[in-house]
Structures are given as structure tokens and as C-alpha cells.
């Protein structure tokens, strides 16, 4: 199996079996809604920040396989991290998506399967939507 097929399979696995899917009715969670009109992606990210740790992430919404799988991967990548580490990981993910060098010690796991997205500019917003949403929530949250 070549690496692109492997990456595609990881993306489809997250699309079919999304992690941390479903919202909670809990006012302690930050909730951010974002959409990507060019593709029709529409997602909601919820994040529970406690003691500067991303204790929990929930995600829901509709969209293409890139967007929905990326929301699942984001939730797995950032859950349990400190706010600062989460923001670092998010920034490395943006570098990866742009096709730039990224820090392989910071960005690990399934997130790297999106590195091919840089060749498809129309899909960049799909891949980053969930990451932009949680970034917005984390940055706006007062310490
Ligand atoms: Zn999309």
C-alpha cells in the first residue's frame, strides 16, 4: 500500500467512526460554531478548559470527509493537552496544511495524514475548519 492510500484510509476511518462526536449541554464548555460556505461544511466545537488543560473536546456538524475527519483528528490530537501546547500543535498543523516544514515533535499522530491537502487549495479550509474553531475558543477564553 502506498503512503497516500494509507493516509486516505486513516481519513476515511475518522470520517466513518468519528471520535468525540456529539455535543453536551454544559455551560462550562466553550462552544464555537464555524462554517465554510465554499464547501458547505458546518461544524460546532465544544471545549472544556480546566486548570489550563483541555479536559474534553466535543465536535458535531456536517460536511465533507476532509472536514469531518479533521474535526475527529483534532479532538484526539488536542484532548488532554495544556492550552499552550494545544495552540502550538494547531500552529504546526497550519504549517503542515500549507505544505511547509512542521515540527514533527509537536505535531504527531493521525494529523499528519492531511499533508497532501496542500496540493488541493480548495480543500485547505475543509481541513483547518475544526482547528480554527477550537483555536478561536482557546484564544478568546480569559485565563
Ligand atoms: Zn469541505
Amino acid at each position: 500500500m502506498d503512503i497516500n492510500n494509507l493516509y486516505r484510509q486513516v481519513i476515511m476511518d475518522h470520517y466513518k467512526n468519528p471520535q468525540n462526536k456529539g455535543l453536551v449541554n454544559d455551560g462550562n464548555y466553550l462552544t464555537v460554531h464555524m462554517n465554510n460556505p465554499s464547501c458547505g461544511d458546518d461544524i460546532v466545537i465544544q471545549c472544556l478548559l480546566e486548570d489550563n488543560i483541555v479536559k474534553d473536546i466535543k465536535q458535531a456538524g456536517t460536511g465533507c470527509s476532509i472536514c469531518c475527519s479533521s474535526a475527529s483528528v483534532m479532538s484526539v490530537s488536542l484532548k488532554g493537552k495544556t492550552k499552550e501546547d494545544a495552540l502550538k500543535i494547531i500552529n504546526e498543523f497550519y504549517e503542515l496544511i500549507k505544505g511547509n516544514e512542521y515540527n514533527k515533535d509537536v505535531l504527531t499522530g493521525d494529523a499528519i495524514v492531511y499533508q497532501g491537502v496542500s496540493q488541493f487549495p480548495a480543500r485547505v479550509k475543509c481541513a483547518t475548519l475544526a482547528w480554527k474553531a477550537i483555536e478561536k475558543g482557546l484564544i478568546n477564553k480569559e485565563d
Side-chain angles (χ1 to χ4, degrees):
M1 189 188 299
D2 81 27
I3 194 80
N4 287 323
N5 281 335
L6 178 67
Y7 287 174
R8 207 168 296 130
Q9 193 176 354
V10 172
I11 289 170
M12 289 316 290
D13 280 350
H14 276 279
Y15 182 56
K16 287 178 183 155
N17 300 300
Q19 305 297 304
N20 303 300
K21 180 99 176 175
L23 302 180
V24 290
N25 189 7
D26 181 336
N28 293 317
Y29 281 70
L30 306 162
T31 300
V32 182
H33 177 208
M34 274 200 180
N35 61 6
N36 170 22
S38 65
C39 179
D41 305 318
D42 187 296
I43 57 164
V44 177
I45 300 296
Q46 290 184 312
C47 172
L48 180 64
L49 196 64
E50 268 180 18
D51 303 325
N52 215 41
I53 306 274
V54 179
K55 281 273 166 67
D56 195 20
I57 298 172
K58 295 286 181 189
Q59 52 96 6
T62 54
C64 66
S65 58
I66 297 286
C67 176
C68 292
S69 64
S70 181
S72 172
V73 169
M74 179 280 289
S75 71
V76 174
S77 300
L78 303 186
K79 207 162 148 176
K81 300 287 192 281
T82 65
K83 178 180 163 179
E84 287 70 28
D85 283 350
L87 290 170
K88 273 186 212 159
I89 293 167
I90 292 166
N91 277 313
E92 293 302 326
F93 184 74
Y94 295 159
E95 293 302 317
L96 169 109
I97 292 291
K98 283 186 265 183
N100 295 341
E101 285 291 313
Y102 66 97
N103 187 330
K104 293 182 173 68
D105 295 326
V106 173
L107 188 69
T108 57
D110 287 348
I112 64 157
V113 302
Y114 296 95
Q115 57 188 255
V117 169
S118 60
Q119 294 158 36
F120 305 94
R123 310 314 296 276
V124 164
K125 279 185 182 165
C126 303
T128 56
L129 191 65
W131 300 72
K132 297 259 184 211
I134 195 163
E135 181 186 30
K136 188 175 174 204
L138 289 174
I139 287 174
N140 289 347
K141 169 80 175 169
E142 309 258 325
D143 283 324

